[in-house]
């Protein structure tokens, strides 16, 4: 919701979207998502707008005490190596701060 309200300030937020890789699903639904190309551990949000030295940004949403899985760590490292900005988000304040920081580059 915050991003939708900020489009007037940051028009590039129209390029922010959720990647439906996580969540609890039935076996049938999980198989369907896997067949469509979902990947365990891929970040939750993507902002496909280049800024500064980065090709785009990815945001991994975690609970305040949530732990990154091995798959998440691997994707984060790989995305950073490919020139993407990646942030671990543990609160709405983290998301606002990291998004503003990225868009100001």
């Amino acid at each position: 919701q915050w991003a939708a309200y900020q489009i007037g300030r940051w028009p590039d937020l129209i390029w922010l979207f959720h990647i439906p890789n996580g969540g609890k699903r039935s076996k049938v639904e999980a198989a369907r998502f896997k067949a469509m190309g979902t990947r365990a551990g891929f970040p939750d949000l993507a902002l496909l707008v280049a800024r500064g030295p980065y090709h785009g940004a990815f945001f991994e949403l975690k609970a305040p005490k949530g732990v990154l899985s091995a798959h998440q760590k691997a994707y984060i490292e790989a995305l950073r190596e490919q020139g993407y900005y990646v942030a671990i988000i543990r609160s709405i304040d983290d998301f606002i701060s990291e998004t503003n920081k990225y868009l100001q580059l």
Side-chain angles (χ1 to χ4, degrees), residues 49-75:
V49 175
R51 284 287 192 280
Y54 302 106
H55 303 303
F58 289 91
F59 303 96
E60 175 60 40
L61 307 179
K62 299 303 287 181
K65 295 183 181 182
V67 177
L68 293 171
S69 71
H71 289 295
Q72 289 169 327
K73 289 176 185 177
Y75 271 119

Side-chain angles (χ1 to χ4, degrees), residues 20-94:
N21 283 336
K24 302 291 181 191
R25 295 186 172 85
S26 69
K27 288 183 181 183
V28 171
E29 189 176 27
R32 195 174 1 192
F33 270 68
K34 187 173 182 178
M36 289 188 294
T38 59
R39 300 287 181 257
F42 201 81
D44 299 298
L45 296 172
L47 179 56
L48 299 182
V49 175
R51 284 287 192 280
Y54 302 106
H55 303 303
F58 289 91
F59 303 96
E60 175 60 40
L61 307 179
K62 299 303 287 181
K65 295 183 181 182
V67 177
L68 293 171
S69 71
H71 289 295
Q72 289 169 327
K73 289 176 185 177
Y75 271 119
I76 288 167
E77 181 179 337
L79 287 165
R80 286 178 175 158
E81 287 175 0
Q82 291 297 315
Y84 291 95
Y85 182 90
V86 183
I88 312 305
I89 305 299
R90 297 186 181 279
S91 69
I92 185 63
D93 291 335
D94 282 353

